[in-house]
């Protein structure tokens, strides 16, 4: 029987190497999600304030990410910022930097949307109780906003995980790069490797993102009613 | 109205459940040609559900509905055909927002009945004239008031030339000052001998337009009576209670 | 920063070409995605057994995997089982695979947003399921979907930036090449950003204008 080529996934340490690559991807994604969420929470709060210059700047910041593709920002950061700072922070940190800033922008928009969707009387009844602005946020607005934010936040996380696949293009050795290495190594011995390796990576991403999508939809449904 | 007129609808032992809940229970009712039947009852008693069953918008779990002898609870019923004879008007008008008034009215006659455009248009314009809205024929629904929309919805159903018209709380979401213009249209239909089943909360209207009142309570018909009798001497305690509440309200 | 304007001027035609490639790709991808999305959402709406499972699987696969991996699979993987496509075809197929599910979701939520009463009053005048879809549901669903369809179109246009990975000379790939060849990093990146601004800003304004125009699918006036 002719070899199908699927063995390539299990030859030597290939399987573990691919998973290791996935780990790098996930590391980058989750670090960025964490930093982005933290920054985004702050940014969302700032965007509900009445200062128009602040609103303008933050809106501009968001639109910059909405209009220019993330890959372009990756290139800008990779080719300009790191040489400018005269330190080679490497592809991985560059990616974390760009994704965190992007995540902050999107997260800020989710937070703003959630805060603005809260009924106005919530704030007023908080004031009527004599709570200070900080306390109103802490005890009334944020807990309610969080449930409205959760589905969008999880969706953002899946988007960021998927986008992390782009870091291979700025030289980070992650799951796609490991896949390429395995394919190149097997050109002679396993000529059909590419379909299995890319198919496998495809499935790996699916296995990571699909549960998150499900979770987000579950929250959406639960809190819609 | 002659009791000898042809029976158009015959409802026998009709049962409708929503899961465990028994919404309609052993409903028996005959509707004769030209008869105006007003259905009253407290909210959630099943009166709207009954109308919806007659238009095939709800499945039923038991009993039969005979329309001119044809059993509508038969699973093979061609509802598209039946609905051309049994028109229905809803509480929320539900005009098609993307179509003009005239296109709303002509959709059924042209697409379902495949009638001549000229002839259908002529009838539509006559009907619009009759409800006083001919000048709005090229308007879009959102440019109309609630009362106007509801009159258009009635015309839309009438233009199919139905034998029976079902009115499901058609004035319930209208501003009080618009209720009248809609009721007048329905009254006009009654005068012309249209067979109608009307679910309403307008007691004065029920009394003056109905040939008889059907009182439904908790999914059962608890009383069928002539209007004068029902409003002065209701037979059941529930009906008495129902009328008392309405007297407070109105 | 000291920009070399001469270099920028000389590179303009190259960027023009790359923009044209992006526009072509986006055009076909958006068109095919709309078709795939429309068909998928209609089939899903009518709950055709079997087909429905396939569509759900497609939507989930498409939405939960990165375009880059989809493209690599199409471009490097499929030839191993005898399916060869040009770079351009691969890019369009990949983008359509991705975009189709987004468009399907947009149509689906449009369809779901058509009030139940609309369907019932359509039924009550005797319309068939098909007539109901054609004359009542679809026109309204489409109007409701316009903002999200537009947003998806912009999303697809931006996603074309990935096709450099399968050797198409698009804007990002060109920039990378030029930086590698001439070390004119700032200038090349400036052109790159400017090119996307020129492509997407007008669309973005058009979209927000449309959004205001068709909010809640208002007809008339």
């Amino acid at each position: 029987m002719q070899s199908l080529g699927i063995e390539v996934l299990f030859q030597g340490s290939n399987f573990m190497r691919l998973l290791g690559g996935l780990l790098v991807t996930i590391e980058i994604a989750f670090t960025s999600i964490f930093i982005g969420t933290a920054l985004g929470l702050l940014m969302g709060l700032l965007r509900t304030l009445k200062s128009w210059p602040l609103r303008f700047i933050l809106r501009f910041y968001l639109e910059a990410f909405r209009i220019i593709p993330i890959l372009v920002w990756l290139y800008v950061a990779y080719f300009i910022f790191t040489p400018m700072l005269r330190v080679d922070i490497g592809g991985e940190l560059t990616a974390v930097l760009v994704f965190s800033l992007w995540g902050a922008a999107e997260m800020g928009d989710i937070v703003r949307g959630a805060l603005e969707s809260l009924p106005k009387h919530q704030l007023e009844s908080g004031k009527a109780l004599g709570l200070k602005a900080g306390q109103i946020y802490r005890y009334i607005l944020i807990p309610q906003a969080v449930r409205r934010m959760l589905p969008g936040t999880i969706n953002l996380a899946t988007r960021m995980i998927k986008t992390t696949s782009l870091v291979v293009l700025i030289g980070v050795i992650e799951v796609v790069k490991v896949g390429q290495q395995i394919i190149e190594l097997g050109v002679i011995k396993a000529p059909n490797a590419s379909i299995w390796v890319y198919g496998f990576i495809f499935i790996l991403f699916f296995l990571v993102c699909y549960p998150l999508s499900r979770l987000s939809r579950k929250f959406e449904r639960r809190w819609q009613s | 109205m002659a009791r000898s007129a042809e029976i158009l609808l015959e409802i026998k032992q009709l049962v409708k459940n929503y899961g465990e809940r028994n919404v309609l229970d052993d409903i028996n009712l005959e509707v004769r040609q030209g008869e105006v039947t007003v259905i009253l009852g407290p909210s959630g008693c099943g009166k709207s559900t009954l109308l919806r069953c007659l238009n095939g918008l709800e499945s039923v779990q038991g009993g039969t509905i005979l329309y001119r002898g044809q059993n509508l609870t038969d699973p093979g019923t061609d509802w598209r055909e039946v609905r051309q004879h049994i028109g229905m008007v809803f509480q929320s008008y539900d005009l098609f927002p993307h179509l003009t008034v005239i296109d709303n009215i002509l959709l059924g006659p042209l697409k379902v009945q495949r009638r001549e455009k000229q002839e259908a248009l002529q009838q539509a314009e006559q009907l619009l004239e009759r409800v006083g809205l001919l000048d709005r024929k090229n308007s879009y629904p959102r440019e109309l008031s609630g009362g106007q929309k509801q009159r258009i919805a009635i015309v839309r159903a009438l233009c199919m030339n139905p034998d029976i018209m079902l009115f499901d709380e058609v004035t319930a979401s209208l501003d009080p000052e618009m209720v009248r213009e809609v009721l007048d249209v329905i009254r006009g239909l009654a005068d012309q001998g249209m067979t109608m089943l009307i679910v309403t909360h307008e007691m004065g209207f029920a009394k003056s337009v109905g040939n008889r009142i059907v009182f439904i309570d908790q999914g059962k018909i608890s009383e069928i009576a002539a209007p004068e009798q029902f409003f002065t001497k209701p037979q059941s305690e529930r009906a008495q209670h129902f009328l008392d509440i309405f007297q407070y309200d109105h | 920063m000291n920009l070399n304007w001469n270099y920028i001027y000389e590179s303009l035609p190259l960027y023009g070409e790359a923009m044209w490639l992006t526009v072509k790709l986006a055009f076909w991808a958006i068109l095919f995605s709309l078709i795939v999305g429309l068909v998928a959402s209609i089939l899903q709406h009518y709950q055709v057994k079997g087909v429905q499972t396939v569509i759900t699987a497609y939507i989930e696969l498409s939405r939960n995997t990165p375009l880059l991996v989809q493209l690599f699979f199409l471009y490097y993987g499929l030839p191993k089982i005898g399916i060869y496509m040009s770079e351009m075809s691969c890019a369009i197929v990949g983008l359509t695979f991705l975009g189709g599910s987004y468009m399907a979701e947009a149509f689906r939520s449009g369809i779901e947003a058509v009030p139940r009463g609309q369907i019932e009053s359509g039924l009550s005048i005797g319309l068939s399921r098909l007539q109901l879809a054609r004359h009542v549901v679809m026109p309204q669903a489409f109007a409701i979907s316009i903002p999200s369809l537009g947003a998806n179109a912009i999303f697809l246009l931006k996603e074309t930036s990935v096709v450099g990975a399968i050797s198409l000379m698009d804007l990002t790939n060109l920039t990378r090449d030029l930086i590698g060849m001439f070390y004119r990093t700032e200038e090349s990146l400036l052109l790159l950003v400017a090119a996307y601004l020129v492509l997407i800003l007008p669309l973005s304004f058009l979209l927000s204008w449309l959004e205001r125009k068709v909010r809640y699918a208002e007809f008339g006036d």
Side-chain angles (χ1 to χ4, degrees), chain A residues 69-82:
Chain A
I70 296 302
L71 182 58
V72 173
W73 287 128
L74 273 179
Y75 278 0
V76 169
Y78 187 66
F79 287 118
I80 291 195
F81 291 145
T82 47

Side-chain angles (χ1 to χ4, degrees), chain C residues 158-206:
Chain C
K158 284 167 69 185
E159 286 290 300
T160 61
S161 61
V162 177
V163 301
I166 55 168
S167 339
L168 280 165
M169 246 327 147
D170 80 317
L171 288 163
T172 45
N173 208 15
L174 172 72
T175 304
R176 220 183 135 98
D177 262 26
L178 290 181
I179 292 174
M181 280 192 287
F182 303 112
Y183 297 105
R184 287 266 154 226
T185 313
E186 286 89 353
E187 289 85 348
S188 308
L189 288 170
L190 185 73
L191 281 164
L192 175 63
V193 171
Y196 275 108
L197 283 179
V198 168
L199 285 174
I200 296 175
L201 258 187
L203 282 178
S204 169
F205 281 122
L206 180 74

Side-chain angles (χ1 to χ4, degrees), chain C residues 204-219:
Chain C
S204 169
F205 281 122
L206 180 74
L207 180 66
S208 43
W209 176 79
L210 260 179
E211 236 166 272
R212 257 170 288 141
K213 186 97 185 155
V214 301
R215 187 163 301 162
Y216 303 117
E218 287 179 352
F219 295 87

Side-chain angles (χ1 to χ4, degrees), chain C residues 75-136:
Chain C
Y75 187 66
Y76 296 110
L78 285 189
K80 306 297 176 197
I81 53 168
I83 301 171
Y84 295 90
M85 284 186 281
S86 69
E87 290 86 355
M88 194 72 184
S89 311
C90 267
I92 292 173
V93 170
L95 284 162
T96 304
F97 180 80
L98 177 77
S101 69
Y102 281 78
M103 296 297 188
E105 295 286 279
F107 281 123
R108 187 185 54 80
S109 50
I111 291 172
E112 282 173 5
V114 175
R116 178 92 203 125
Q118 287 289 310
I119 292 162
E120 293 191 341
S121 73
L123 287 175
S124 80
I125 56 171
L127 293 176
S128 67
R129 298 267 278 166
L130 216 62
Q131 287 171 326
L132 201 60
R134 164 145 159 48
H135 298 291
V136 177

Side-chain angles (χ1 to χ4, degrees), chain A residues 47 58-73 101-113 152 156 159, chain C residues 150-159 196-197 199-201 203-205 207-208 211:
Chain A
R47 282 189 67 194
L58 292 176
R59 180 66 199 265
F60 185 84
Y61 175 74
L62 170 68
E63 290 302 325
F65 283 103
R66 292 245 166 115
I67 288 168
I68 308 290
I70 296 302
L71 182 58
V72 173
W73 287 128
L101 292 176
W102 167 46
E106 293 286 359
M107 190 63 202
D109 203 46
I110 294 171
V111 173
R112 179 198 56 82
L156 179 61
R159 274 171 70 201
Chain C
N152 289 345
I154 291 179
F155 162 73
L156 279 175
L157 184 66
K158 284 167 69 185
E159 286 290 300
Y196 275 108
L197 283 179
L199 285 174
I200 296 175
L201 258 187
L203 282 178
S204 169
F205 281 122
L207 180 66
S208 43
E211 236 166 272

Side-chain angles (χ1 to χ4, degrees), chain A residues 144-218:
Chain A
Q144 289 189 61
V146 163
R147 26 168 72 190
R148 291 176 201 222
M149 278 158 31
L150 213 48
T153 307
I154 300 172
N155 267 338
L156 179 61
T158 28
R159 274 171 70 201
M160 288 175 78
I161 293 169
K162 286 188 291 178
T163 308
T164 304
S165 64
L166 297 182
V167 300
V168 65
L169 300 176
I170 56 168
V172 178
I173 298 177
E174 42 65 85
V175 63
V176 180
K177 187 72 203 173
V178 171
Q180 286 174 343
Q181 291 169 344
I182 291 173
I183 291 164
E184 274 158 29
L185 224 98
V187 171
I188 298 156
K189 273 200 294 185
N192 287 342
S194 58
I195 191 162
W196 295 109
V197 171
Y198 287 127
F200 183 63
I201 295 173
F202 183 84
I203 292 166
L204 282 181
F205 269 100
F206 180 77
L207 290 178
V208 176
C209 295
Y210 179 66
L212 287 173
S213 298
R214 285 291 294 266
L215 192 67
S216 147
R217 236 169 305 156
K218 210 176 97 183

Side-chain angles (χ1 to χ4, degrees), chain A residues 5-90:
Chain A
I6 194 170
E7 319 82 59
V8 72
L9 294 179
F10 307 102
Q11 265 159 12
S13 57
N14 283 357
F15 190 77
M16 289 322 285
R17 283 176 64 203
L18 281 168
L19 288 186
L22 184 69
L23 205 64
V24 175
T25 305
I26 290 177
E27 242 171 46
I28 294 175
F30 275 80
T31 315
S32 312
I33 291 164
F34 183 76
I35 301 174
T37 309
L39 286 175
L41 282 170
L42 182 70
M43 212 167 275
L45 288 177
L46 290 179
R47 282 189 67 194
T48 58
L49 299 181
K50 289 207 170 58
S51 145
W52 72 263
L54 195 62
R55 277 183 176 228
F56 179 81
I57 292 167
L58 292 176
R59 180 66 199 265
F60 185 84
Y61 175 74
L62 170 68
E63 290 302 325
F65 283 103
R66 292 245 166 115
I67 288 168
I68 308 290
I70 296 302
L71 182 58
V72 173
W73 287 128
L74 273 179
Y75 278 0
V76 169
Y78 187 66
F79 287 118
I80 291 195
F81 291 145
T82 47
M84 225 164 53
L85 296 172
R86 289 178 201 293
V87 279
D88 184 13
I89 60 171

